Amino acid sequence: MCLYRNIVWFIKGMREYTRSGFENASKTFVAKDLDVSLVGRSFMITGANSGIGKATAMAIAKKGGTVHIVCRNKERAERAREEIISASGNNEVYVHVLDLSETRKVWEFAEAFKKEHSSLNVLINNAGCMVNQREINSDRLEKNFATNTLGVYVLTKCLMPLLEKSRDPRVITVSSGGMLVEKLNTDDLQTERAPFDGTMVYAQNKRQQVVMTEVWAKANSKIHFSVMHPGWADTPAVAKAMPQFHQMMRDRLRTAEQGADTVVWLAVSRATTAFPSGLFFQDRQPVSAHLPLAWTHSSRREVKVFMGRLEALAMAVKPSE
């Protein structure tokens, strides 16, 4: 079954996830969907110093939005901020330094942000990592899981009250088509027992993001949640984490701007909220979060167990009031 999933996924990817796939899909895009003013709306984008996150921040800043870029490296974040301001003419771009793999610090950051800001219209969970050898953070959590799953869980959970107070609140999470080959695994969230394969751990984390989004959408009707696949984009993160794939596919990869297109569309377009909350998107369209006959659906019990374990891990490292 795993071999079947991988073959179907790769064939699908070559047809849809590449630059030519985007160019073909974009023929049906409605240009006026992005013809909006974002003055007075605030956006938080994690991992916005390069790649898809930076392209998203740039597009939103050019439309007048207030942009909070959340990055772990201050120097690179400040450089990205300067470039965004220079290109957009919008000075409302702010840097926040945070390593999403440090769960306790994610709690501290989110709590402080809520106290310092009266509104947040859109949260874009873009930051991610693919560490190819098992690493443990200061909270004794595996780094990929801490960044891609638990960090997203804590940041979103903690900022929900602020989002709820804001007009037309949205949460967009940047997942990956790689999750299509993975079924939710509730028994080994931090890859303590299985052999460690960074690519598959990343894919499992991305499946977890889809499940979280579906649960949040059912539990909270005030916020519009969505999760998306940006396609195979040529970004520094891809080049570093998957050098062989990057080298092999380099001429077929999407640009960062093409990868960011659906993120921006989900964040700013009025057309987005015509779709139900909790869907998985690709190239501005909702698509199935499962391959045909792939047996990757989760039972209600599995989802409940997964969310319960996330909550327990998150609360275990939450700073005391």
Side-chain angles (χ1 to χ4, degrees), residues 29-308:
F29 291 176
V30 179
K32 67 178 183 180
D33 280 357
L34 299 184
D35 186 16
V36 295
S37 170
L38 302 178
V39 174
R41 286 181 65 78
S42 60
F43 300 76
M44 179 183 292
I45 308 166
T46 64
N49 64 288
S50 67
I52 290 170
K54 182 181 176 184
T56 300
M58 182 75 77
I60 289 171
K62 286 181 176 180
K63 296 180 181 299
T66 297
V67 179
H68 298 275
I69 61 175
V70 180
C71 310
R72 63 181 178 181
N73 185 294
K74 181 175 175 60
E75 182 179 341
R76 283 184 289 194
E78 291 289 356
R79 187 159 58 243
R81 175 181 179 273
E82 291 172 5
E83 292 173 10
I84 293 167
I85 290 174
S86 176
S88 67
N90 181 354
N91 291 317
E92 297 294 306
V93 182
Y94 303 96
V95 167
H96 307 269
V97 179
L98 173 68
D99 185 343
L100 277 164
S101 74
E102 299 293 336
T103 312
R104 189 180 303 271
K105 293 180 180 178
V106 177
W107 275 114
E108 293 171 347
F109 165 77
E111 292 291 355
F113 189 91
K114 283 194 299 187
K115 294 176 182 177
E116 295 168 7
H117 297 85
S118 59
S119 69
L120 177 65
N121 299 100
V122 181
L123 168 63
I124 299 173
N125 291 309
N126 168 73
C129 76
M130 185 191 296
V131 178
N132 288 310
Q133 292 188 346
R134 195 171 190 276
E135 296 181 20
I136 303 298
N137 70 8
S138 60
D139 296 316
R140 306 301 300 166
L141 298 166
E142 191 275 315
K143 191 169 184 177
N144 288 301
F145 170 77
T147 303
N148 302 327
T149 303
L150 196 58
V152 170
Y153 177 81
V154 170
L155 185 64
T156 305
K157 173 187 171 72
C158 196
L159 291 177
M160 276 187 197
L162 183 59
L163 286 156
E164 288 173 349
K165 294 193 301 182
S166 307
R167 181 173 56 87
D168 186 18
R170 308 181 188 188
V171 174
I172 299 103
T173 299
V174 180
S175 183
S176 168
M179 68 88 196
L180 290 168
V181 304
E182 285 288 304
K183 183 183 187 300
L184 180 68
N185 181 350
T186 63
D187 295 326
D188 193 15
L189 295 183
Q190 300 188 64
T191 325
E192 295 171 286
R193 297 189 292 276
F196 192 89
D197 179 330
T199 302
M200 300 314 294
V201 169
Y202 180 82
Q204 175 65 208
N205 295 160
K206 293 301 176 176
R207 169 61 69 187
Q208 292 164 352
Q209 290 178 346
V210 171
V211 172
M212 287 191 294
T213 298
E214 292 169 346
V215 171
W216 287 331
K218 291 177 182 177
N220 192 315
S221 61
K222 294 181 180 179
I223 301 171
H224 191 276
F225 293 90
S226 53
V227 59
M228 59 80 66
H229 174 38
W232 294 341
D234 188 356
T235 66
V238 170
K240 180 180 179 181
M242 298 186 292
Q244 290 180 319
F245 174 81
H246 182 265
Q247 181 67 26
M248 178 181 72
M249 297 294 297
R250 183 169 53 189
D251 295 336
R252 298 179 179 180
L253 297 177
R254 299 180 178 198
T255 65
E257 289 73 22
Q258 290 171 337
D261 177 82
T262 296
V263 185
V264 176
W265 181 80
L266 287 167
V268 310
S269 174
R270 294 182 182 89
T272 298
T273 53
F275 293 98
S277 182
L279 298 182
F280 179 64
F281 285 82
Q282 176 187 308
D283 292 332
R284 302 194 191 183
Q285 289 294 325
V287 296
S288 176
H290 304 275
L291 293 171
L293 305 176
W295 301 96
T296 51
H297 292 268
S298 303
S299 68
R300 291 182 181 179
R301 179 187 173 280
E302 287 171 327
V303 171
K304 184 177 180 180
V305 168
F306 167 64
M307 295 301 291

